[in-house]
Amino acid sequence: MKKNSTLFVSIAFISCSVFFIITSFTNKNNIEHPIKADKPNVIIILTDDQGYADVGFNGCKDIPTPNIDRIAKNGIVFTQAYVSYAVCAPSRAGLITGRYQDRFGYSRNPLYRPFDPEIGLSLNEQMFPELLQKSGYRTMGIGKWHLGVHEQFRPWKRGFNEFFGFLGGGHRYFPSEYDINHPDSAKNEAQSYRTKLIRNEQVVEGKEYLTDELSNEAVAFIERNKEQPFFLYLAYNAPHTPLQASEKYLSRFENIQDPKRKTYAAMVSAVDDGVGAVLNKLKELKIDENTIVIFLSDNGGPEKDNSSNNGVLKGAKGSLFEGGIRVPFAMQWPKKIKANTLFHEPIISLDIFATVAANINGGLQTKNPLDGVNLMPHITGTKKEAPHEYLFWRQFDQKNYAVVHASGLKQVILKDTSFSIYNLKNDIGEETNVSEQHKKTIELFELQRKKWESFTIPPAFLGLSQEEQYNKQKKK
Ligand code: CA
């Protein structure tokens, strides 16, 4: 008996060794390491306040975006893609946690208060890069943060190995205007636009037109990490106000008469150059095949402020009509997604985390349950049903809600009193309220929405529009 088991162990040992030798041999002959092959690089390119119709792949004519369009051509365009809120910070909180931000009270644009530990994204939440970092990824955030400025909320405490950019909700674009020497010295949101840039805790002097500087950082990060899996969150503040562009980009738009639209176009064009530089770098390093690149805007265009264009969509940034929440959204992953794919079912930025987590090493376990879903089976067609039966939005202070159903029906509730139903399948501009024909639908949507709302909490802090109230409370 003892002899037999020794023999068995020896055979097992020999088999393992042979297997090991074979695997080592195969590894040397494979270009891609099998472990790395299961860890695609991930790049999210997020623009700020760009309109739905301000990319070539959604029909933009006056601003060429050939590089952003490359992502669409190389992969997939989601024609009915949403973000989880109609302004910057809550939308980003949803994206980076994969969960409705109403679950953890990040439902207002925050005040810029570096010494208030209450204003920031709950530390009970797991951010996307935290999970990837744990899984052996090198992670970097570039550009706009807006997820908490107190030191406990800063990017390098939330899963980013590196951060280059600024902590508030926006920034000026020319280094000569960065006249506040430290992020802690800014006393409010407006001042935060003028702080010097930071590389983690270190203050750095800006060198170039901001959009170019962020793009250069992105390319350098990719180059530095070509040998290992990486995650890059490239959060441009363009084309958010202030409208500022360098001559290099302005000169491309001599044909646009309206000075606001002209500057806006130049800002988008600068982003497009940056996207091109990122894509070129991936190709040059021959890592483009297994890199997921996702492009989207953080909310609809505020057409009056920055001259953006949401096309036929009703409403703008801040609104729960399509113009506030439906965004340009494209994704490439040449190894897994066919070129020139179109996807028409409703999806949401919350799906990004779920999709990435599910496609790394056979699926990563997240700390909290996600509201997003893995889009890959829907993209490849192995799952026929729509990714989401319902999507929900809530503006707590205004008492506004929206519900989108997979059928194309959408309910908009304003001030908790006006209830409308639109059929987005034939009325994308939300012109005709068809609630009379859908009385039963309203009841059903109400039921679903209340169920959804039962797991949300009120905002965890006072927001940017409540500064006066905040200051009064602090004086007490
Ligand atoms: Ca925004």
Side-chain angles (χ1 to χ4, degrees), residues 48-49 87-88 92 144 240 298-299 317:
D48 198 348
D49 289 9
V87 302
C88 313
R92 285 152 197 266
K144 165 164 159 175
H240 192 293
D298 72 333
N299 49 250
K317 176 181 181 180

Side-chain angles (χ1 to χ4, degrees), residues 402-420:
V403 180
V404 164
H405 186 256
S407 63
L409 289 178
K410 176 181 177 186
Q411 182 181 36
V412 179
I413 302 167
L414 300 176
K415 299 191 194 325
D416 219 4
T417 51
S418 127
F419 293 71
S420 316

